[in-house]
Amino acid sequence: MNETQFDPKMLEALVCPMTQATLTYDAEKQELVSKNAQLAFPIRNGIPVMLVDEARKLD
């Protein structure tokens, strides 16, 4: 497993940059998911990338 892992406690401080809604953590895909915005924000080297341009659209 990657030595730099995402700390789920960070979820308490992070919100979706588009909707300001809470996020869920997808450990398998290493993403933070905004169901309201239908976006998944990547986590790279343990750091969430909260840029809409970097987010993946959910199906």
Side-chain angles (χ1 to χ4, degrees):
M1 177 89 28
N2 192 341
E3 54 184 75
T4 22
Q5 288 189 317
F6 176 71
D7 181 356
K9 289 183 180 177
M10 286 180 72
L11 275 177
E12 296 170 14
L14 294 171
V15 294
C16 174
M18 281 186 66
T19 65
Q20 308 305 307
T22 57
L23 301 163
T24 55
Y25 174 46
D26 184 333
E28 186 179 313
K29 293 182 181 174
Q30 285 298 294
E31 293 177 328
L32 294 179
V33 178
S34 171
K35 291 189 168 111
N36 290 356
Q38 289 294 295
L39 293 173
F41 297 91
I43 299 171
R44 297 190 185 121
N45 299 318
I47 301 168
V49 181
M50 304 304 296
L51 300 170
V52 174
D53 291 347
E54 296 286 320
R56 177 178 67 83
K57 290 188 198 280
L58 299 177
D59 296 328

